[in-house]
Amino acid sequence: MSEVNNEEKKQTKEFTRAASDTESARDVQSPGLPEDGQLVRQLKNRHIAMISIGGVIGTGLFLGTANSLRNGGPVGLLLGYTVVGSICYSVMISLGEMVAYLPIAGGHIKLAERFVNPALSFTMGWNYWYNWTIVLPAELSASAVLIGFWTRDNPISPAAWVTITMVITIVINLLGAGAYGEAEFIFASIKVITITGLIILGIVLDLGGGPSHDRLGFRYWKHPGPFAQFDGISGSKGRFLAWWSVMSQAAFSFIGTEIVAIAAGEAKNPRRNLPRAIKRVYIRILLFYIGGTAIIGLLVPYTDPRLNLSDGTASSSPFVIAIQNAGIKALPSIINACLLTSAWSAASSDLYTSSRALYGLSVAGNAPRIFSRTSKTGLPYVSVMFCALFATLGYMGVNSGAGKVFGWFSNMTSVAGLMTWFGISLTYIRFYAGMKAQGYDRTSLPFASKLQPYAAWYAMVFCLLICIFSGWSVFLKGRWASDTFVTNYFPLALFPILYLGSNFYYKQPAVKPEEMDFVTNIAEIEADTYDEPPPRNKFEAFWQWLM
């Protein structure tokens, strides 16, 4: 036992640089896999830090909170985002422990094959690919609608803006992971500055610092009240349903934090950079989401008729409504511009993530091997171009009827994302069992949390619960809607169907904890490890701490 512990400590002592993406090729050992079919580590520390932040902040926080506030009230909104935030954090510390130890291409998709079975890897991989492929054209359409905020007097066909955004997105991804990292660094920086500024502005407005000098305090918590009564249902039942409706909507806002796992295969020094990014997830959740939703609930009453996302522009954002109420001009246009960069950022991330998911599926043998082909610079160009083809679905948004149909598909990504979290939590529970069975000391890993395995169980159970009850409103009297039922429960039903079908094909039982492989790729990981130079001045020390 002591030999195993010593060996494990030796493997994990130098945790500053991660497994090269040869991992995928060598680990799978697929016959006929191209020798050059491997990624190249181009993402720097600041790229990883901003990718992890960018995955958290999006239009869900700027715009999606409008529906959540309207349905749940200020306290319902805050409680809903707090609960989903705790689930998100539980998923991230589970994922972080695995990818910091094994930062391999394919991320959690490959880890599922290694610690559960090929069937779960197949299911999670295609579910994840579908998730990010479908949401890509939705973001392109969103960018066209946001630009329409300025062109209402002289309307221009949305197809023009969809084309421009699509070209920008594809070019960024064809330039490689390094270019994507730089673009995401810029976009995420804008998002961080925007939300931080809005939170500070919200505090000032709440305390009466706006042009109107109207001190709001907790006025809207008293009238119209802390909770909305969902669908007019009175009493605690109506308040509970209001809170639960926020839970379902908040989940969509948090989906995407796991992108950092997909980026692990192209991250420089991931055993140092990934743990740092994971450890700071809770700060981002507390500051941006919990802080943001708390301020929103103070500034706008949930009965405000402008809390309607039908126009899809910044005018329905709770922050913009509060600014308009305070009598501040010009800021709505600035916020809309920031929302536009957020949509561009999301589109770029969508294409990056879907192409790497497809690459990981190919390397694992769950997709045609042509998708694992890479250029000399490590770009999986076949996967990128194939996934980019689906961006043309963004033109469906040009026609309002087709746009509505496409909206149903994009709504499915919320449930698909939660099922990804479910799979990550399940994979970690198996990873934890394997570590325990083989006598590994988890405290010597690059990243480990004392909340495990309880956090993983908590996340797994609640992800499933939210998915099961995501479309509960259609079962209320007089509220049946076939489209809502299908878009909420089709992805949920698809997950077990994919798993059972692939399990029947592979006919491989779950890997026993005693037989799990914790050694393969460790040699490459340690060979690729390096110590970062110490900061030369106070600015570099601050930057190192910040990133």
Side-chain angles (χ1 to χ4, degrees):
M1 186 67 69
S2 61
E3 266 185 10
V4 174
N5 285 334
N6 290 335
E7 178 64 22
E8 197 275 339
K9 287 179 180 179
K10 179 181 177 182
Q11 294 167 353
T12 58
K13 184 178 180 181
E14 298 175 343
F15 59 83
T16 25
R17 195 170 184 183
S20 90
D21 291 291
T22 49
E23 162 283 319
S24 298
R26 296 179 185 176
D27 183 37
V28 177
Q29 295 177 344
S30 301
L33 186 67
E35 189 62 28
D36 63 340
Q38 45 187 274
L39 305 180
V40 175
R41 299 190 181 278
Q42 302 177 44
L43 297 175
K44 301 176 182 178
N45 179 29
R46 58 188 175 88
H47 296 155
I48 292 297
M50 281 304 180
I51 287 171
S52 66
I53 293 175
V56 177
I57 306 172
T59 52
L61 177 57
F62 294 119
L63 284 175
T65 45
N67 276 338
S68 297
L69 178 59
R70 185 176 59 180
N71 291 335
V75 176
L77 170 71
L78 182 59
L79 288 178
Y81 271 79
T82 300
V83 172
V84 177
S86 68
I87 296 171
C88 175
Y89 180 69
S90 299
V91 171
M92 289 305 293
I93 60 174
S94 302
L95 180 62
E97 187 168 323
M98 293 187 292
V99 299
Y101 179 70
L102 286 169
I104 58 181
H108 50 276
I109 299 171
K110 282 290 296 170
L111 293 172
E113 177 188 22
R114 197 155 175 170
F115 301 119
V116 186
N117 60 13
L120 183 64
S121 177
F122 176 92
T123 305
M124 288 181 63
W126 284 110
N127 177 77
Y128 202 62
W129 175 82
Y130 155 82
N131 187 357
W132 294 104
T133 300
I134 289 298
V135 80
L136 168 59
E139 295 291 353
L140 298 180
S141 298
S143 66
V145 175
L146 290 168
I147 293 174
F149 180 80
W150 295 297
T151 61
R152 284 172 293 186
D153 296 332
N154 299 296
I156 299 174
S157 173
W161 307 122
V162 168
T163 302
I164 292 172
T165 307
M166 181 169 61
V167 169
I168 292 172
T169 300
I170 294 173
V171 168
I172 287 174
N173 276 269
L174 285 178
L175 290 175
Y180 162 73
E182 291 295 346
E184 191 61 20
F185 178 79
I186 296 170
F187 288 142
S189 298
I190 294 173
K191 287 192 282 188
V192 169
I193 293 170
T194 301
I195 188 59
T196 303
L198 287 174
I199 290 174
I200 294 172
L201 177 62
I203 295 173
V204 172
L205 294 178
D206 185 67
L207 296 177
S212 62
H213 300 294
D214 182 16
R215 191 179 189 281
L216 299 175
F218 287 87
R219 177 187 306 172
Y220 299 130
W221 283 42
K222 298 176 182 178
H223 181 77
F227 285 95
Q229 301 293 146
F230 190 86
D231 200 34
I233 300 172
S234 60
S236 58
K237 181 180 179 181
R239 291 191 291 271
F240 173 80
L241 293 178
W243 165 70
W244 190 263
S245 70
V246 174
M247 290 270 286
S248 303
Q249 295 160 1
F252 180 77
S253 299
F254 283 98
I255 298 299
T257 53
E258 74 287 340
I259 289 178
V260 70
I262 291 292
E266 293 175 276
K268 292 182 177 181
N269 212 2
R271 281 200 167 177
R272 181 262 183 193
N273 296 334
L274 292 176
R276 287 173 68 90
I278 298 297
K279 287 176 183 177
R280 294 179 181 181
V281 164
Y282 78 94
I283 298 176
R284 291 148 195 163
I285 292 173
L286 287 174
L287 177 62
F288 300 132
Y289 271 107
I290 309 306
T293 51
I295 294 299
I296 286 170
L298 296 174
L299 297 177
V300 183
Y302 69 81
T303 53
D304 195 307
R306 289 171 292 179
L307 291 171
N308 190 335
L309 296 180
S310 60
D311 66 349
T313 67
S315 59
S316 53
S317 168
F319 288 108
V320 174
I321 293 173
I323 291 168
Q324 291 173 339
N325 290 344
I328 303 175
K329 299 179 180 180
L331 266 182
S333 289
I334 296 174
I335 294 173
N336 198 71
C338 295
L339 284 176
L340 182 58
T341 62
S342 180
W344 288 346
S345 169
S348 180
S349 293
D350 296 342
L351 181 54
Y352 173 83
T353 307
S354 60
S355 63
R356 270 45 175 196
L358 185 58
Y359 171 87
L361 281 165
S362 176
V363 163
N366 293 325
R369 283 180 294 178
I370 190 174
F371 292 122
S372 61
R373 287 187 179 178
T374 61
S375 66
K376 292 181 179 179
T377 58
L379 173 71
Y381 61 93
V382 179
S383 292
V384 171
M385 292 306 300
F386 178 77
C387 294
L389 293 176
F390 290 87
T392 56
L393 292 174
Y395 292 113
M396 295 175 68
V398 175
N399 181 287
S400 58
K404 181 179 179 181
V405 174
F406 184 75
W408 296 339
F409 284 94
S410 61
N411 288 338
M412 295 183 195
T413 60
S414 181
V415 176
L418 283 169
M419 291 310 296
T420 293
W421 286 7
F422 169 83
I424 290 171
S425 302
L426 175 60
T427 302
Y428 177 80
I429 290 170
R430 298 284 300 156
F431 172 87
Y432 182 92
M435 281 271 172
K436 186 176 181 181
Q438 296 186 32
Y440 281 81
D441 179 13
R442 289 178 51 253
T443 60
S444 64
L445 296 180
F447 174 79
S449 172
K450 295 180 180 179
L451 298 177
Q452 299 292 10
Y454 310 108
W457 278 103
Y458 164 72
M460 186 175 73
V461 170
F462 266 85
C463 283
L464 197 57
L465 276 177
I466 295 174
C467 286
I468 291 172
F469 294 105
S470 61
W472 59 270
S473 61
V474 300
F475 298 108
L476 296 176
K477 187 176 180 179
R479 287 182 62 93
W480 175 261
S482 300
D483 56 347
T484 302
F485 177 82
V486 171
T487 54
N488 279 281
Y489 291 113
F490 174 74
L492 180 61
L494 186 63
F495 199 89
I497 290 173
L498 285 173
Y499 179 79
L500 293 173
S502 56
N503 199 41
F504 177 79
Y505 175 80
Y506 286 110
K507 293 183 174 62
Q508 289 189 27
V511 182
K512 295 179 180 179
E514 299 80 9
E515 299 174 359
M516 289 180 184
D517 180 9
F518 293 100
V519 177
T520 302
N521 307 121
I522 295 298
E524 298 100 293
I525 291 171
E526 292 188 340
D528 203 31
T529 297
Y530 64 91
D531 292 322
E532 295 190 346
R536 293 170 294 182
N537 50 54
K538 290 184 178 181
F539 175 77
E540 287 189 359
F542 171 76
W543 184 257
Q544 197 174 78
W545 170 83
L546 183 65
M547 292 289 111

